[in-house]
Amino acid sequence: MLRIYQNTYRRTARKAVVYSTKVACCNHSTLCGITSHPRRSQDSGSSGSNGKHRRHEEFLLAGNPARGWQMPPPSRGYGMLVVRILRGALKLRYIVLGGAIGGGVSLRKKYEDWKDGLPDFKWLEDAMPQGERWSQFSRNLIEVGSLVKNAIDVDPKLKQLGEDKLSEWRNWFDSRLDDAIEAADYQGVQIVETKDDLKAKTTVAALGITSDESRKKYEKLQSQVETLQTEIMNVQIKYQKELEKMEKENRELRQQYLILKTNKKTTAKKIKKSLIDMYSEVLDELSGYDTGYTMADHLPRVVVVGDQSSGKTSVLESIAKARIFPRGSGEMMTRAPVKVTLAEGPYHVAQFRDSDREYDLTKESDLQDLRRDVEFRMKASVRGGKTVSNEVIAMTVKGPGLQRMVLVDLPGIISTMTVDMASDTKDSIHQMTKHYMSNPNAIILCIQDGSVDAERSNVTDLVMQCDPLGRRTIFVLTKVDLAEELADPDRIRKILSGKLFPMKALGYYAVVTGRGRKDDSIDAIRQYEEDFFKNSKLFHRRGVIMPHQVTSRNLSLAVSDRFWKMVRETIEQQADAFKATRFNLETEWKNNFPRLRESGRDELFDKAKGEILDEVVTLSQISAKKWDDALNTKLWEKLSNYVFETIYLPAAQSGSQNSFNTMVDIKLRQWAEQALPAKSVEAGWEALQQEFISLMERSKKAQDHDVIFDQLKSAVVDEAIRRHSWEDKAIDMLRVIQLNTLEDRFVHDKQEWDSAVKFLETSVNAKLVQTEETLAQMFGPGQMRRLTHWQYLTQDQQKRRSVKNELDKILKNDTKHLPTLTHDELTTVRKNLQRDSVDVDTDYIRQTWFPVYRKHFLQQALQRARDCRKAYYLYTQQGAECEISCSDVVLFWRIQQVIKITGNALRQQVINREARRLDKEIKAVLDEFSEDEEKKGYLLTGKRVLLAEELIKVRQIQEKLEEFINSLNQEK
């Protein structure tokens, strides 16, 4: 812009110079020596004078060196002075003008940006006073300010705060008060103020109290607001950090998942399972296949049995080199079988079969967690008021120097039950112990407490019953450190030599399981055991037993050696038995289901799940027209009874058209505000349910339909429908739509009129059919039916017919009769019937009158509908004053419009929301069912499923057995 002004200035200055020069030339033409030539003027064009002046300009500006002429000094100095003055004035003018314009534009833009950045205070225009009231408010502010200042000067409490604090607060308040007063003066046109000014102004002016109270309340409020703002900011920062942390962890987990998913198969191939792990997996498979040991599961395992508190759990912990079981003082701690697979490994760790967590047994914190989890699993396995459970808790313990074997720790045998035990606890423990010892290849580790009398033992009798020859029993005497002090040495010698009990065993061992301290570690216990046997007078000096018969270490070596010897002797027989079982099952399958593959319960469930979800997808592909038809039909089915009984019949029987319209408007509005939206949602939900069930039923008629899925599909659909509910906000939305639709009382075109008439006729005919059925039951069959079907009238039906004949006479005389009978009419009918020897009371007559009159009224309504079919144009011209009463048609047109609008809204909700929500419910139900093995077994059953499950299980066991046998032979 400044350049434009400078160029304008230069052109103006140049013209001024030329003009002054022209004046000088004209005044001194003689001195110039220039004369105008007529011919030259003509050659220059139409403006000769302009040409002459132009030549004068060029001559004067450029000079004439040939002649050496110059302007006289006085005239030249005068002209240049004028030029300089004019030039300076013009330059200053345009500079000032340009700067003012440019600065104004820049300032206005800056002001607009600053104004846009301010918060919106338009709401203050309504809250704050205007005009004279605002001026008065401003003056009040000034007075309050002066009062507050005076109060501050004389307040003794503020002097105690110190001069520095007082001065700081006074300056702050003065600045805020001045800002508030300035803003108040400016409010005559527009209110623009900051949040701090607004708080100071409104607080002081609105409270209208003393300065000290206002200061305290304001400071308190301000501190609360600042505290809340700080807390909100801290929460937001903390939330943002947590969110970023979770997003980062999610990305890392996603990457790990993708890596694991990609390398899942290759990783499984690279990892080689140990021999004992393979054997433990075979036992796990067998435990789920045959729990009775009657057919197949005769594989060896070490069964640890003993009386309660005999130290059997401590023996197992000593063998595992870790205190892995919960402990109690005399109470029953082992409530379920615990299968412990011992294996050698570089790290001393433990892990449950159904968990990925590894417990570091070298850390006390992990040991505590392991014991707590074992106790929790035991308590969780006990159900139905029982004390013990048959559910096996399987875990693996690995560590350096551990002997490979599989041990099963059972609940201790009891002789007396306590009051907190179930009544069958003793028998349950006996049965469980016999169940595990009945396996002909199980190694029985019989634990006997050395600190008590041998005659008090209960376990020895059970062991003798299951293994009378002692070919698979190992006897262990515990707590021998206490036995040395209490028992007779000869008695201990007899026990360890097998001469005290009639029970026989492969070997006899003595161990020390601790000093009775819960906090002792396994290393301390083993060290105490070794020191005891080295220094014991009974076992060392007198040589009661051989050295290999003492310590837990020798015991674990002996048990492991016997365990693997038993495994090698029996594993081939087990593999052959399963081969024969597999062959028999495959033959049975081919004979019964030759064209079907052996699909287990899990595979069948996945297939059924896919079919159900496909049907849900099909539900969303139903056409809009089909949804409209289904919803409209269901809506009218839900609403028809209310429309007839509560709205139409009472209004139509009122006697006049005006009262009819008034009653209809009132009842329709009440209906739309209360019951109609909820009924509509109920109808929509039933229509959705009906369509989904019909899709499932149609799928049963397909050629590839499998009847085995029917029970599962029905259970899933029923559960999903039971859980699903329509969105609550749909009711409010429908209420608004329905109220607006019912406000329209004028039929718009002939097509809608004909549709409403047809709707009225259809509805009245349906009600008429119901009424005739009621009359047929009340009055009995007609004469023709009695003749053709040999039927007779009952005595009550004969009375009803007599009453009907009298009532028909009343309706024939008065076709527009009211819906109720008068007292005189009731008396007349009763007397007429008495003349015919029919004695009835008035209530009996009213009961008969109701269906008779309804039939009469519906027939009249049907006739009115037929009359109104061609009366549309008469209705449009005369409206409510129409000669033919067509209020019935208008009412049913309004009902029809509500049904259409509601059906359309429900269809959109079904397609956009409810079908998806139902899909989610079905998926949730399927996921729950997939994790519930008991429910899957109940819903997917039959010979085909059971045979396939058994065949698959036997095949898996045989494959694992063969894999284990190959590895065992390679180890040999």
Side-chain angles (χ1 to χ4, degrees):
M1 185 177 290
L2 290 176
R3 286 189 176 183
I4 296 174
Y5 298 149
Q6 290 175 358
N7 293 334
T8 305
Y9 158 75
R10 289 173 182 171
R11 288 195 296 271
T12 307
R14 182 171 179 176
K15 290 181 181 180
V17 173
V18 172
Y19 179 76
S20 61
T21 308
K22 287 181 180 180
V23 173
C25 274
C26 292
N27 293 332
H28 304 280
S29 58
T30 307
L31 295 175
C32 293
I34 300 174
T35 59
S36 61
H37 198 280
R39 188 172 182 178
R40 188 171 295 178
S41 301
Q42 294 175 2
D43 295 338
S44 63
S46 60
S47 56
S49 61
N50 292 337
K52 181 176 69 174
H53 290 169
R54 190 180 302 113
R55 287 192 298 272
H56 288 176
E57 293 172 13
E58 294 173 355
F59 180 82
L60 293 175
L61 294 174
N64 192 349
R67 296 183 182 183
W69 179 88
Q70 291 182 354
M71 181 72 70
S75 302
R76 178 179 177 86
Y78 175 77
M80 293 306 295
L81 180 61
V82 173
V83 169
R84 287 192 183 97
I85 294 172
L86 186 60
R87 178 181 179 183
L90 291 174
K91 183 176 182 180
L92 180 61
R93 176 186 176 185
Y94 284 106
I95 288 175
V96 173
L97 181 61
I101 295 175
V105 173
S106 177
L107 182 60
R108 181 175 179 81
K109 184 177 180 182
K110 194 71 175 178
Y111 170 74
E112 292 293 336
D113 295 340
W114 174 80
K115 182 180 177 181
D116 293 339
L118 289 176
D120 187 8
F121 288 103
K122 292 182 179 180
W123 58 273
L124 288 175
E125 295 179 4
D126 298 330
M128 302 300 290
Q130 302 291 333
E132 183 62 27
R133 294 179 60 193
W134 182 256
S135 301
Q136 182 64 31
F137 180 70
S138 176
R139 291 192 293 270
N140 291 339
L141 280 178
I142 298 174
E143 295 176 359
V144 171
S146 61
L147 291 175
V148 171
K149 290 181 179 179
N150 296 331
I152 294 174
D153 292 336
V154 298
D155 192 352
K157 295 182 180 179
L158 295 178
K159 291 181 180 180
Q160 298 176 3
L161 298 176
E163 294 296 330
D164 296 337
K165 193 68 178 178
L166 178 61
S167 177
E168 180 183 355
W169 186 87
R170 184 184 298 167
N171 293 333
W172 174 86
F173 187 84
D174 290 341
S175 62
R176 292 295 184 269
L177 186 60
D178 294 337
D179 293 340
I181 294 172
E182 291 175 3
D185 294 336
Y186 185 69
Q187 182 60 27
V189 180
Q190 181 181 5
I191 298 176
V192 178
E193 56 189 341
T194 62
K195 292 182 179 179
D196 291 338
D197 299 336
L198 179 62
K199 288 191 289 185
K201 178 177 61 180
T202 54
T203 302
V204 175
L207 289 177
I209 55 180
T210 62
S211 60
D212 187 49
E213 293 177 352
S214 64
R215 177 183 60 80
K216 291 181 180 179
K217 288 190 176 182
Y218 178 76
E219 288 180 350
K220 183 178 179 180
L221 291 173
Q222 188 179 23
S223 63
Q224 290 178 355
V225 170
E226 291 175 353
T227 303
L228 288 174
Q229 290 176 348
T230 304
E231 291 178 356
I232 292 173
M233 184 63 67
N234 293 335
V235 171
Q236 290 178 347
I237 294 172
K238 182 178 179 181
Y239 173 75
Q240 186 66 26
K241 289 182 179 179
E242 291 294 329
L243 186 62
E244 293 174 356
K245 181 180 178 182
M246 292 178 66
E247 290 177 350
K248 182 178 179 181
E249 292 177 354
N250 189 23
R251 288 193 297 268
E252 293 176 356
L253 291 174
R254 178 65 179 171
Q255 293 176 358
Q256 293 177 7
Y257 170 76
L258 293 175
I259 293 173
L260 291 174
K261 185 178 180 180
T262 304
N263 301 329
K264 185 176 180 180
K265 295 183 179 180
T266 58
T267 305
K269 292 181 180 178
K270 292 180 181 178
I271 297 176
K272 184 178 180 180
K273 298 178 181 178
S274 64
L275 196 63
I276 190 63
D277 290 336
M278 296 168 61
Y279 184 77
S280 179
E281 289 182 359
V282 173
L283 292 181
D284 291 337
E285 294 288 344
L286 286 172
S287 64
Y289 173 68
D290 178 26
T291 58
Y293 302 105
T294 57
M295 184 188 73
D297 187 7
H298 291 165
L299 290 177
R301 72 260 290 156
V302 180
V303 180
V304 184
V305 297
D307 296 334
Q308 183 178 347
S309 301
S310 61
K312 56 184 181 55
T313 300
S314 299
V315 170
L316 197 153
E317 288 181 336
S318 183
I319 295 174
K321 298 182 180 180
R323 307 197 73 168
I324 58 178
F325 294 105
R327 321 193 73 79
S329 56
E331 60 178 328
M332 178 184 293
M333 298 303 298
T334 305
R335 298 176 178 270
V338 182
K339 182 174 77 71
V340 182
T341 303
L342 299 180
E344 190 173 8
Y347 305 105
H348 203 186
V349 295
Q351 183 180 8
F352 290 103
R353 183 184 65 181
D354 56 353
S355 175
D356 295 332
R357 179 184 177 182
E358 281 191 350
Y359 300 86
D360 188 352
L361 301 183
T362 61
K363 297 180 180 179
E364 185 60 31
S365 59
D366 282 19
L367 280 171
Q368 292 178 0
D369 293 342
L370 178 60
R371 289 192 289 266
R372 184 174 58 251
D373 291 344
V374 170
E375 184 177 4
F376 174 78
R377 288 171 179 263
M378 285 185 181
K379 292 180 178 179
S381 65
V382 178
R383 304 182 184 89
K386 301 292 184 179
T387 306
V388 293
S389 170
N390 291 320
E391 186 176 336
V392 180
I393 300 173
M395 62 187 303
T396 301
V397 178
K398 297 181 180 180
L402 292 182
Q403 301 299 318
R404 301 178 300 172
M405 68 185 87
V406 178
L407 302 99
V408 181
D409 185 23
L410 299 176
I413 298 173
I414 61 175
S415 57
T416 304
M417 295 186 299
T418 59
V419 293
D420 58 342
M421 293 182 180
S423 58
D424 60 343
T425 302
K426 182 178 179 181
D427 295 336
S428 299
I429 295 175
H430 277 253
Q431 292 175 4
M432 186 189 305
T433 305
K434 288 183 179 180
H435 167 76
Y436 277 90
M437 290 192 301
S438 61
N439 179 4
N441 296 321
I443 300 172
I444 303 173
L445 196 62
C446 180
I447 309 298
Q448 173 66 39
D449 188 353
S451 64
V452 299
D453 295 336
E455 291 81 5
R456 295 168 57 186
S457 176
N458 297 310
V459 69
T460 53
D461 295 336
L462 289 176
V463 172
M464 283 191 300
Q465 294 176 10
C466 297
D467 184 24
L469 300 178
R471 294 178 179 177
R472 50 190 181 90
T473 301
I474 297 177
F475 182 85
V476 180
L477 185 66
T478 63
K479 304 178 184 180
V480 292
D481 54 338
L482 300 177
E484 183 183 31
E485 301 175 0
L486 301 176
D488 183 8
D490 294 335
R491 189 177 182 83
I492 295 177
R493 185 184 302 112
K494 291 181 180 180
I495 293 174
L496 295 177
S497 60
K499 296 180 180 179
L500 183 64
F501 296 112
M503 180 193 72
K504 301 183 182 298
L506 290 171
Y508 297 86
Y509 290 84
V511 297
V512 175
T513 56
R515 293 172 290 184
R517 301 176 184 175
K518 294 183 178 180
D519 299 334
D520 285 349
S521 64
I522 288 295
D523 294 335
I525 293 174
R526 292 173 73 91
Q527 185 63 41
Y528 171 75
E529 183 185 40
E530 292 180 3
D531 294 342
F532 170 78
F533 283 116
K534 286 180 181 179
N535 302 322
S536 173
K537 300 178 181 179
L538 177 63
F539 292 95
H540 180 65
R541 295 181 181 179
R542 299 186 181 182
V544 173
I545 55 176
M546 299 298 291
H548 66 273
Q549 288 182 271
V550 297
T551 70
S552 302
R553 180 178 178 275
N554 292 332
L555 173 64
S556 62
L557 289 172
V559 173
S560 176
D561 181 69
R562 185 60 190 171
F563 170 77
W564 284 106
K565 183 179 180 181
M566 190 80 74
V567 168
R568 290 186 177 94
E569 291 175 354
T570 59
I571 193 68
E572 294 289 348
Q573 299 175 0
Q574 292 291 300
D576 294 340
F578 273 97
K579 285 181 182 178
T581 304
R582 175 178 177 178
F583 176 79
N584 295 333
L585 292 174
E586 288 177 346
T587 303
E588 185 178 0
W589 180 269
K590 291 179 181 179
N591 293 333
N592 291 278
F593 311 101
R595 298 183 179 181
L596 295 177
R597 189 170 58 87
E598 308 95 347
S599 299
R601 190 170 281 114
D602 293 336
E603 185 179 353
L604 292 173
F605 184 86
D606 292 338
K607 186 177 179 181
K609 179 179 179 180
E611 292 184 3
I612 294 173
L613 295 179
D614 289 342
E615 296 298 335
V616 177
V617 174
T618 307
L619 184 66
S620 62
Q621 297 176 352
I622 296 177
S623 63
K625 185 179 182 305
K626 188 173 182 180
W627 273 122
D628 288 337
D629 294 341
L631 289 168
N632 292 343
T633 303
K634 183 60 68 174
L635 280 169
W636 180 240
E637 178 183 333
K638 281 284 185 182
L639 306 177
S640 59
N641 188 62
Y642 186 89
V643 170
F644 266 95
E645 302 298 335
T646 309
I647 300 176
Y648 176 56
L649 292 178
Q653 297 170 3
S654 61
S656 66
Q657 188 170 352
N658 292 332
S659 60
F660 175 87
N661 294 331
T662 303
M663 289 182 64
V664 164
D665 291 340
I666 294 173
K667 290 182 178 296
L668 284 178
R669 186 166 188 83
Q670 292 176 350
W671 186 40
E673 289 178 348
Q674 298 174 3
L676 179 57
K679 279 290 183 181
S680 301
V681 167
E682 184 180 346
W685 170 223
E686 291 183 4
L688 174 61
Q689 175 183 348
Q690 184 176 346
E691 287 297 320
F692 184 63
I693 293 177
S694 63
L695 284 176
M696 301 295 292
E697 293 296 328
R698 284 198 294 270
S699 65
K700 294 181 180 179
K701 299 179 181 178
Q703 295 181 354
D704 57 347
H705 173 67
D706 197 341
V707 295
I708 203 169
F709 300 142
D710 291 346
Q711 190 174 358
L712 173 62
K713 289 181 178 180
S714 299
V716 171
V717 172
D718 293 342
E719 181 65 20
I721 289 175
R722 186 186 65 81
R723 296 183 184 182
H724 183 74
S725 61
W726 210 277
E727 284 187 326
D728 295 335
K729 61 182 180 181
I731 294 178
D732 297 331
M733 182 192 69
L734 288 175
R735 181 179 292 109
V736 175
I737 295 175
Q738 291 166 349
L739 284 171
N740 293 334
T741 304
L742 289 174
E743 290 296 326
D744 191 0
R745 300 174 179 83
F746 187 78
V747 183
H748 301 99
D749 54 35
K750 182 67 165 59
Q751 184 177 1
E752 291 184 358
W753 180 271
D754 293 340
S755 177
V757 171
K758 184 178 179 181
F759 179 49
L760 174 59
E761 290 178 346
T762 304
S763 304
V764 171
N765 276 324
K767 279 292 179 182
L768 188 59
V769 171
Q770 295 178 4
T771 304
E772 288 177 347
E773 291 177 356
T774 303
L775 290 172
Q777 294 177 0
M778 184 179 290
F779 303 130
Q783 185 175 1
M784 182 61 67
R785 187 174 183 83
R786 292 200 301 271
L787 292 175
T788 56
H789 291 78
W790 294 90
Q791 294 180 351
Y792 301 93
L793 296 176
T794 64
Q795 185 176 1
D796 182 72
Q797 289 174 348
Q798 292 176 357
K799 287 184 179 181
R800 296 282 184 185
R801 283 178 173 270
S802 301
V803 175
K804 179 180 178 299
N805 293 331
E806 296 295 328
L807 296 177
D808 288 339
K809 296 177 183 178
I810 295 175
L811 293 175
K812 185 176 181 181
N813 295 328
D814 185 5
T815 57
K816 296 183 179 181
H817 197 283
L818 294 177
T820 58
L821 293 172
T822 63
H823 177 72
D824 294 339
E825 290 173 337
L826 288 172
T827 304
T828 302
V829 171
R830 189 175 180 183
K831 289 182 177 181
N832 292 339
L833 292 174
Q834 288 176 353
R835 261 185 267 147
D836 297 334
S837 301
V838 178
D839 189 11
V840 293
D841 56 10
T842 55
D843 290 337
Y844 191 89
I845 298 173
R846 288 194 184 97
Q847 292 175 1
T848 311
W849 164 260
F850 178 77
V852 171
Y853 177 77
R854 170 161 290 193
K855 179 180 179 181
H856 170 75
F857 174 80
L858 292 175
Q859 290 174 344
Q860 287 185 333
L862 193 61
Q863 184 60 42
R864 285 197 304 272
R866 293 167 183 166
D867 296 338
C868 291
R869 183 180 294 276
K870 298 181 180 180
Y872 172 70
Y873 296 106
L874 188 63
Y875 162 78
T876 56
Q877 294 175 2
Q878 299 181 3
E881 304 298 332
C882 181
E883 297 178 359
I884 303 176
S885 177
C886 296
S887 300
D888 309 29
V889 178
V890 177
L891 169 62
F892 275 81
W893 174 80
R894 295 168 71 181
I895 300 296
Q896 190 179 39
Q897 295 303 309
V898 167
I899 291 176
K900 287 181 180 179
I901 295 297
T902 304
N904 185 34
L906 291 174
R907 173 176 57 81
Q908 293 177 2
Q909 291 179 12
V910 167
I911 296 175
N912 298 331
R913 295 286 301 171
E914 298 305 324
R916 297 177 184 176
R917 293 179 67 240
L918 181 61
D919 184 21
K920 291 182 180 179
E921 294 289 350
I922 290 176
K923 289 180 179 178
V925 172
L926 287 170
D927 292 340
E928 291 182 10
F929 283 11
S930 65
E931 298 175 358
D932 192 342
E933 296 296 333
E934 184 178 354
K935 185 163 289 187
K936 283 197 297 185
Y938 170 73
L939 296 175
L940 290 173
T941 186
K943 183 179 180 179
R944 171 184 160 190
V945 180
L946 297 177
L947 184 60
E949 281 285 309
E950 187 176 7
L951 179 56
I952 293 172
K953 195 74 172 180
V954 169
R955 191 176 292 157
Q956 291 176 351
I957 294 172
Q958 184 199 355
E959 292 174 356
K960 289 184 179 295
L961 278 172
E962 291 178 352
E963 182 183 4
F964 173 74
I965 291 172
N966 293 334
S967 300
L968 185 64
N969 293 332
Q970 291 177 3
E971 190 179 59
K972 290 180 180 179

